[in-house]
Amino acid sequence: MNAMNAMNRMPGGFAVYVALAGMLVAGLIVLLVLGPRWLTTPPAEDAEIPAASAADVRKIQARLFYVDEQGTGLAGVEQDVLYGESTAEQARHIIEAQIAPAPAPHISAIPPDTKLRTVFFTTTGEVYVDLSADIQTNHPGGTTNETLTVYALVSALTSNLPAVTGVQILIEGREVDTLAGHLDLRRPIEQDLKWITN
Amino acid sequence: MRARRIPYARLTIALVAIAALSQLHAQSGPITVLSRDGRRTLPAVDVQGHQMVALDDLAALFQLQVRDDAAAGAITATYKNQTIVLTPNQSLVSASGRLVSLPAAVIRRGNRWLVPVEFISRALAPIYDVRLDLRRASRLLVIGDLRVPRVTAQYDEGPASLRVTFEITPRATALVTQAQGRLVMRIDADALDASLPPPPQQGLLRAIRATEPNTIQMDLGQRFSTFRASPPVSSGAAAVITVELLAAGADTSAAAPDAPAAPTAPVAPVAPGGDLPLLGGGARPSVRTIVIDPGHGGEDTGVTGPDGALEKDVTLAVARRLKSSIEARLGMRVLLTHEEGTRVDADGRAAIANNNKADLFISLHANGSLRPSVRGAVILTLSLDRVGEDARRQSQADKAVLPVFGGGAREISLVEWELAQAAHLDGSNAFAGIVDQKLRTTGGLPSVTLQRAPMRTLAGTNMPALLIEMGYLSNPDEERMLTSTGFQNRLALALTEAIAAFRDYVEHGPQIAPAP
């Protein structure tokens, strides 16, 4: 009531307040929205954003493997993975997806920051997966963790690519005894379904 | 001359064609479809190495609406408002808007469209409302939630025995009975996905086959006298059951008193494993030297618990207590692979055991899981891949008998150093069964799991060997338990009792081994 009375008493002053508020809002819009656009270099008029080629967006569904609810096995999860023109390229895309952070609510068995260096095939269907040293240095240890790390990689390839007979894990281009002191990695590891619980 | 060559050329072409056709026929074969409605077959043909099925057969089986849209150059298969779009001569299909790659292109044969069998698992399964489990290797398609475990068999020949080891994945219980010249193992399942190689022909087992719906039938040979079967032992998600067939005239004293001589007798609970390799010519086998391997060490700290406990400290502490306990109670010679602050590689640990002619090797570890709630002990023995299995067979075949000082002879097995454990798996599995029981009783551990895995440290050990994960250091409760003096002493006592029981087992045979 008091405020209404005050405004009724000062009609000219109210109009001034409204005008000032409008100018303030307009200034903020200029500062926060248009300002950054002016400060960046505009794209050349004739430059077009290249359209994604068909190969870039092609995806397949692959079964990737994460730590299961019990924490002692692997659960298979269907996920979109980039399409590869060759089996080796497809294997690379599958491993890249497998070592990427797990989508919620899953837990990845692969230590964080692990990077894929290269993948190559032998004529007998064995795949050599060369990973960065992060898979060893960031590994939490324990037979269970190590088993799930190794078989997540092995299962991702053997489940999705029937031509794969075994997976040899290399670190920084070299054969290793183990990842964390337990599983024998001197020879290619074959698929073992007992670690997959669904 | 020219006129005579043409018939030969035609004949050659005809023979090649017949051979190619017969090969095609040999590779082809229907897929068995299992569902609650029963067993059916789905015709399949091999086209350039790919197993193909007809789209109209799938339509009938899965109630798909298939439409050939020639104008659009596509075929659509619809199931309950979800559509799969296939393009002729393309291996990419769209299943409800998601691109799926198939191993071969969709092709037309006559008036039928053929798709690779993987179409079922990759394109159809994601849109279907019932679980579809395609097992390509065994040409099996399971529809719905049927229990269809994979069953494999492996044979180990002895002079008067044949051990058949069945691995059932996922785990299922089984009952072995004897009736009318055969053993029948009935597995608690709806059907079986069995891969059973032919048995060695030594007169104990003539043939083995899976029969519907859930039994394995073993036809006995003329040398068969009796059998013994172990209760299922867990190995990861699998159950391992060993059935040992004994020849007439063989030493059957190892068989349990209630061994199933009568028809339909139940499985006799005896310890896994059987005859152990003799350690010396004529000498009575026993257990005199134990090598204990504290896992990790030096810079290799192993798992770190949430409160900071290090695996290397826990394993060394338990190893020292176990050494004292064995020496005091059993009077055996005990060696540790390393002391504090030193780091020994896997071959170095095995070499200490081999060079000291140890009779048992025990590697102690503490486990880790990314899920902190996981708890329990795990006992691991070595699993063999194809190379290891070859080494195991070779170790049984390549034996040399050498004279020893003081008369007599000693049988030597020839096996690669890095696969020395292959010749001792029976003893290792027997010891694992005993440790399992003692950890539950004397050790008071509620959860103990037996597993087989390609363990690096065990591979080179030339004696029965196992690796024990005593608990999960990643679990806060088990971290406190593993670092407590009371638990470490209880664990040392349980393992000491297990070693004593294993010594009895080696000296007197498996019949006195406690039932697991």
Side-chain angles (χ1 to χ4, degrees), chain A residues 14-49:
Chain A
F14 177 68
V16 169
Y17 286 133
V18 170
L20 282 173
M23 289 172 67
L24 188 62
V25 170
L28 281 172
I29 290 171
V30 167
L31 189 66
L32 297 177
V33 178
L34 300 178
R37 292 188 188 177
W38 292 335
L39 294 174
T40 57
T41 307
E45 286 184 1
D46 58 348
E48 288 182 6
I49 298 170

Side-chain angles (χ1 to χ4, degrees), chain B residues 132-466:
Chain B
L132 303 179
D133 181 8
L134 176 68
R135 303 183 188 179
R136 196 171 174 279
S138 44
R139 291 174 182 263
L140 199 62
L141 172 60
V142 182
I143 302 176
D145 56 353
L146 295 185
R147 295 170 304 151
V148 188
R150 292 179 180 84
V151 182
T152 60
Q154 176 187 308
Y155 306 103
D156 294 303
E157 290 180 76
S161 66
L162 175 67
R163 182 175 298 129
V164 190
T165 305
F166 294 97
E167 192 164 287
I168 305 170
T169 312
R171 277 194 293 269
T173 56
L175 182 71
V176 183
T177 57
Q178 183 181 351
Q180 297 175 342
R182 62 177 58 124
L183 294 181
V184 175
M185 182 164 73
R186 185 164 287 107
I187 298 171
D188 182 20
D190 297 310
L192 301 179
D193 176 2
S195 173
L196 305 168
Q201 292 305 311
Q202 56 172 168
L204 281 166
L205 182 60
R206 284 191 292 114
I208 185 169
R209 60 184 168 276
T211 56
E212 291 184 29
N214 59 348
T215 56
I216 303 290
Q217 191 170 300
M218 291 167 267
D219 294 341
L220 302 169
Q222 74 281 3
R223 291 181 65 209
F224 173 82
S225 171
T226 186
F227 80 100
R228 55 192 179 197
S230 74
V233 174
S234 298
S235 175
V240 176
I241 296 173
T242 305
V243 178
E244 189 163 20
L245 312 182
L246 301 169
D251 178 11
T252 56
S253 60
D258 56 346
T264 69
V267 171
V270 298
D275 299 334
L276 293 169
L278 292 175
L279 302 176
R284 189 181 182 83
S286 187
V287 177
R288 298 182 182 86
T289 301
I290 314 283
V291 167
I292 302 168
D293 172 42
H296 308 278
E299 297 167 358
D300 175 13
T301 56
V303 179
T304 302
D307 280 341
L310 299 179
E311 183 184 358
K312 68 166 187 172
D313 296 336
V314 172
T315 59
L316 188 60
V318 176
R320 285 174 172 160
R321 290 181 198 280
L322 179 57
K323 180 177 190 290
S324 302
S325 175
I326 297 168
E327 287 171 341
R329 294 168 194 270
L330 305 178
M332 295 176 181
R333 177 179 174 232
V334 183
L335 302 165
L336 301 190
T337 54
H338 66 94
E339 284 292 343
E340 198 160 6
T342 56
R343 181 175 182 173
V344 186
D345 64 16
D347 282 334
R349 293 168 199 250
I352 289 169
N354 294 345
N355 294 338
N356 284 284
K357 294 184 170 49
D359 303 309
L360 259 184
F361 178 87
I362 303 169
S363 187
L364 297 172
H365 287 253
N367 216 337
S369 171
L370 293 172
R371 293 197 187 273
S373 58
V374 181
R375 53 197 307 163
V378 183
I379 303 167
L380 291 129
T381 53
L382 185 71
S383 70
L384 298 177
D385 58 10
R386 279 174 297 179
V387 177
E389 283 294 350
D390 290 345
R392 185 183 200 194
R393 276 191 288 274
Q394 189 185 348
S395 74
Q396 291 170 343
D398 296 350
K399 286 184 174 175
V401 178
L402 302 177
V404 296
F405 287 114
R410 182 179 180 187
E411 196 174 62
I412 304 290
S413 293
L414 306 175
V415 65
E416 288 178 51
W417 165 272
E418 64 171 26
L419 289 167
Q421 177 60 197
H424 299 278
L425 287 181
D426 291 342
S428 300
N429 290 326
F431 183 46
I434 295 169
V435 171
D436 176 28
Q437 188 208 10
K438 292 294 180 185
L439 288 183
R440 291 173 192 273
T441 52
T442 308
L445 295 180
S447 171
V448 184
T449 309
L450 287 167
Q451 287 181 351
R452 293 179 185 177
M455 307 307 292
R456 175 67 179 91
T457 308
L458 302 182
T461 53
N462 192 24
M463 70 285 305
L466 48 82

Side-chain angles (χ1 to χ4, degrees), chain B residues 1-68:
Chain B
M1 286 292 287
R2 190 180 182 85
R4 292 180 65 183
R5 275 182 188 165
I6 293 170
Y8 282 125
R10 284 180 179 165
L11 180 63
T12 307
I13 291 168
L15 286 173
V16 168
I18 290 167
L21 283 172
S22 62
Q23 190 181 7
L24 181 69
H25 180 72
Q27 289 174 352
S28 304
I31 293 166
T32 303
V33 181
L34 296 172
S35 69
R36 290 281 171 211
D37 299 332
R39 183 181 290 256
R40 279 169 287 179
T41 55
L42 174 65
V45 293
D46 274 51
V47 178
Q48 295 177 342
H50 295 288
Q51 204 177 3
M52 309 286 279
V53 292
L55 201 53
D56 52 354
D57 285 339
L58 293 179
L61 187 62
F62 295 105
Q63 293 85 48
L64 304 178
Q65 303 288 330
V66 175
R67 198 164 63 88
D68 189 350

Side-chain angles (χ1 to χ4, degrees), chain B residues 69-88:
Chain B
D69 189 348
I75 311 140
T76 58
T78 306
Y79 178 75
K80 291 185 180 175
N81 299 326
Q82 301 211 66
T83 301
I84 303 170
V85 182
L86 305 93
T87 309

Side-chain angles (χ1 to χ4, degrees), chain A residues 129-169:
Chain A
V129 177
D130 185 9
L131 299 162
S132 67
D134 305 288
I135 196 168
Q136 265 187 325
T137 52
N138 295 341
H139 202 280
T143 296
T144 297
N145 280 333
E146 187 175 349
T147 302
L148 299 189
T149 302
V150 170
Y151 282 101
L153 294 166
V154 172
S155 303
L157 289 174
T158 53
S159 295
N160 294 296
L161 301 172
V164 176
T165 57
V167 178
Q168 173 86 57
I169 295 172

